[in-house]
Amino acid sequence: PHDFEMAAVWLTGSIWNANWAYIVSMLPWLIVLIPMIMRKAYIIDLLQLGEDGAKSLGVSTEKDKNTLLLGSIGIVSVCVSVSGNIGFIGLMAPHIARRLVGIHYQRVLPVSGMMGMALVIVSDCIARMVFAPAELAVGIVISIIGVPYFVYLLYKAKA
């Protein structure tokens, strides 16, 4: 029963048991991978032109896409290993960041990270305070916030 409970908490996402040891274990990965992706942010801008357009501008698309994909997988893996599966963060934060700072990924990437961090912290506060003395998983609160936001985005895309 205890293993099932821990698996359920991890699947919904929680930062209940987070401590500095987790942060220390994440830092080496983040210190290496975040600058690598930030250095290649201009390539993401060029890829918005389409693969053929980026190739015509001299971008080695396959190599750069693989590098960006592996770096992104590394960052997501490190974060998920600590907090569990909080899926709506990866969907909501970039959309909000693009609305705030535009389409240039040199600005979108850091704002997206900050927005994701803010969403997790606010959701954790809501999960701890609103439903006290019980504590709701952060992933559930983020899903409650995320579903209306995506309905709004779908409605706006159709208009």
Side-chain angles (χ1 to χ4, degrees):
H2 181 69
D3 291 340
F4 173 75
E5 185 177 310
M6 291 307 294
V9 167
W10 188 84
L11 286 172
T12 56
S14 176
I15 54 173
W16 169 75
N17 197 20
N19 58 42
W20 287 104
Y22 292 135
I23 303 299
V24 170
S25 68
M26 290 173 60
L27 275 178
W29 294 97
L30 298 178
I31 288 171
V32 170
L33 295 174
I34 289 174
M36 179 190 78
I37 289 177
M38 289 302 296
R39 220 178 25 242
K40 298 218 177 246
Y42 75 95
I43 292 173
I44 304 172
D45 289 335
L46 295 176
L47 286 171
Q48 292 182 66
L49 300 171
E51 198 163 327
D52 291 334
K55 279 183 184 177
S56 69
L57 292 172
V59 175
S60 173
T61 56
E62 287 305 313
K63 184 182 103 181
D64 287 330
K65 283 193 317 188
N66 288 336
T67 302
L68 288 165
L69 182 63
L70 289 173
S72 299
I73 289 170
I75 291 172
V76 169
S77 299
V78 167
C79 294
V80 168
S81 71
V82 170
S83 64
N85 186 15
I86 307 175
F88 268 105
I89 288 297
L91 297 172
M92 286 176 32
H95 284 286
I96 295 170
R98 284 187 73 169
R99 286 186 172 270
L100 291 175
V101 296
I103 62 171
H104 297 291
Y105 278 88
Q106 194 71 28
R107 292 185 303 240
V108 170
L109 292 174
V111 171
S112 180
M114 299 288 185
M115 187 57 59
M117 175 187 67
L119 285 169
V120 169
I121 291 172
V122 168
S123 297
D124 184 52
C125 289
I126 290 170
R128 289 176 191 246
M129 288 187 228
V130 172
F131 300 102
E135 186 175 326
L136 198 59
V138 175
I140 294 171
V141 174
I142 290 174
S143 296
I144 292 169
I145 295 168
V147 169
Y149 181 71
F150 273 106
V151 169
Y152 163 75
L153 286 178
L154 287 172
Y155 177 75
K156 187 149 176 131
K158 286 185 179 180

